[in-house]
Amino acid sequence: MKILKSTLLALLVISVFSCSKDDDNPNSGNQSPDSFNLITVPDGATDVDLNPTFSWEPAIDPDGDAVSYDVYLDTENPPTTVVASDLSDITYTLQDNLNAGETYYWAVKAKDGNQGETLSNVASFVTLDQPAPIVLSCDSFQRNNADAITLLENRNSDVDYIIDCVTSVELDLEIEPGVVIEFADGAGMKIRDDGSLNAVGTQNDPIILSATTKIKGAWKGILSSSESVKNQFEYVNIEYAGDGGLTSNSEPASLILASEAYFRLNNVSIKNGLNNGIAATAYNYNVEINNCTITNTDIPIYTIPIVASNISGGDFTGNNTDVIRLTGTGVQSINESQTWNNLGVPYRMASDLVIIDGAKFTIEPGVIIEFEDTKGIEIDKLFDEGSAIIAVGTEAKPITFTGVTKVSGAWSTISVRRTTSVQNKIDNVLIEYAGGAGAGGAIEMWVDPVLSVTNTTFKDIDACALYNRYGPTNPNLTEGDNTLVNVNGGYMCHD
């Protein structure tokens, strides 16, 4: 059953359903509601919809009391599961789908609020059999198809649709909550520039994008190059994807976002992927990733800084490498202010990170940024643009700058160059394994930048802790309460 019915268990004695009216009302003088009959779903009905509407006659109370109703539904006779209570109406539509091809029993209890109760008869019915999945043609979502599909409806089947090719979405496609799509081996989906995909499920009725063969990388995944604001995944589960082959311009992933893509990902689950969970390594993105879970993939997210700053909440553990990896293609620039949130896994820099154009780079307490060999950070490399690094941790949650390789000098330095921003601050931070690639110190200062370094531990540094270029001292440096552990070059050095 794709959608579980919610149950509120209330035990009834079997004999209770054999009578129609409670003649032993403990409230002396009060009369129970009159007997009444069930209308729909009628006794003996077959091929009943999986979320039927029930109705019954009104129960008249001889005392004129207001009558409310409880609805019982179960696969056992008599039914003991309360699916709705204290109803004032004489109809009720089931909120959660029933199992296909199964026999159910239902009944209604009428109550007058004065301990007077009357039970209806019990009716049985059989739900319709599960429909076979629809195999979608490769041009199902193309504009030049006169029979193009714009809505994939929930057909209440274990598998609603099968896609056996790499299909292109060239129109606005919506997927209803609860839909299950299975992709054949090597199949996939491309959302083109002129298309969009809006797949919004619910917590109880997620949309499932899976594979006919339940192994990692059985299908290619989804590639979107669309800028449409309609692109949204919410409560969508993507599994067994990531085979690759959708594009040569990206690392393979279960979900690939091409340049300039717009997407909103909320409460999305990606699991059992062959390569990356999400790959967004191009440019000009408008992407937000909120409360998503990515597990049992190679790397959960492979992306660029602007996307990394738009990740909040979620769980990215249980993968081969639990990191948010920042692309190693060229130099990665932060040219607009952003914050990197504490996601519970490190950010891994595969290239140098440059902060320019007055951007303020804020790092939350507890964040770990790890650098691949020889990489580092530069702030205002060529000109004073007022850019800043704001790395302020706490004693309980220090910020950590570390190396992927845990040896002294594995990565380069935090190079604070020409910036005069008073917001440059490093406090309650651990800097370890830096000072490589020719760096003079774990933190380098060029041309007297404004900088505050306090309560910071320098550990396993293959250079000095602080290094000042173009002068013996930096008059714009504020420092104090810093700790050195295995620092080869000492605390303060200069050219």
Side-chain angles (χ1 to χ4, degrees), residues 1 3-9 73 81-84 92 94-98 204:
M1 177 178 176
I3 305 173
L4 299 176
K5 65 178 183 178
S6 59
T7 60
L8 176 61
L9 202 59
L73 178 68
T81 299
V82 178
V83 295
Y92 174 71
L94 196 66
Q95 300 302 305
D96 299 323
N97 287 356
L98 301 175
N204 292 330

Side-chain angles (χ1 to χ4, degrees), residues 12-127:
L12 300 176
V13 180
I14 292 178
S15 61
V16 167
F17 281 102
S18 65
C19 63
S20 61
K21 190 167 182 176
D22 183 1
D23 295 324
D24 298 321
N25 187 345
N27 190 353
S28 179
N30 180 64
Q31 300 182 76
S32 298
D34 289 341
S35 299
F36 61 101
N37 296 312
L38 304 180
I39 301 174
T40 58
V41 177
D43 190 34
T46 59
D47 293 330
V48 175
D49 191 75
L50 299 187
N51 59 331
T53 296
F54 300 99
S55 67
W56 53 92
E57 295 175 345
I60 306 302
D61 186 80
D63 303 316
D65 296 330
V67 177
S68 63
Y69 304 94
D70 295 343
V71 179
Y72 293 82
L73 178 68
D74 219 325
T75 55
E76 302 292 333
N77 188 15
T80 60
T81 299
V82 178
V83 295
S85 59
D86 299 324
L87 300 175
S88 58
D89 294 333
I90 55 174
T91 63
Y92 174 71
T93 300
L94 196 66
Q95 300 302 305
D96 299 323
N97 287 356
L98 301 175
N99 289 329
E102 191 158 354
T103 299
Y104 286 89
Y105 302 88
W106 76 288
V108 175
K109 178 194 288 184
K111 307 178 295 184
D112 66 3
N114 292 305
Q115 300 182 323
E117 298 178 345
T118 301
L119 292 162
S120 73
N121 58 303
V122 176
S124 68
F125 62 90
V126 180
T127 53

Side-chain angles (χ1 to χ4, degrees), residues 308-331:
S309 69
N310 286 326
I311 305 172
S312 63
D315 185 353
F316 307 103
T317 60
N319 303 279
N320 291 341
T321 306
D322 292 333
V323 299
I324 307 301
R325 188 168 189 254
L326 283 296
T327 178
T329 304
V331 172

Side-chain angles (χ1 to χ4, degrees), residues 419-441:
T419 175
T420 56
S421 172
V422 296
Q423 292 181 266
N424 281 296
K425 187 172 185 178
I426 297 175
D427 181 66
N428 278 303
V429 169
L430 169 63
I431 303 175
E432 58 182 7
Y433 308 116

Side-chain angles (χ1 to χ4, degrees), residues 212-253:
T212 54
T213 305
K214 306 302 183 186
I215 61 172
K216 283 188 172 187
W219 63 290
K220 295 182 183 300
I222 297 172
L223 165 66
S224 178
S225 56
S226 169
E227 300 177 44
S228 172
V229 297
K230 296 178 181 179
N231 288 309
Q232 180 179 4
F233 281 179
E234 185 164 348
Y235 288 108
V236 174
N237 298 342
I238 304 172
E239 56 186 15
Y240 305 110
D243 178 44
L246 290 175
T247 176
S248 61
N249 295 322
S250 172
E251 294 288 323

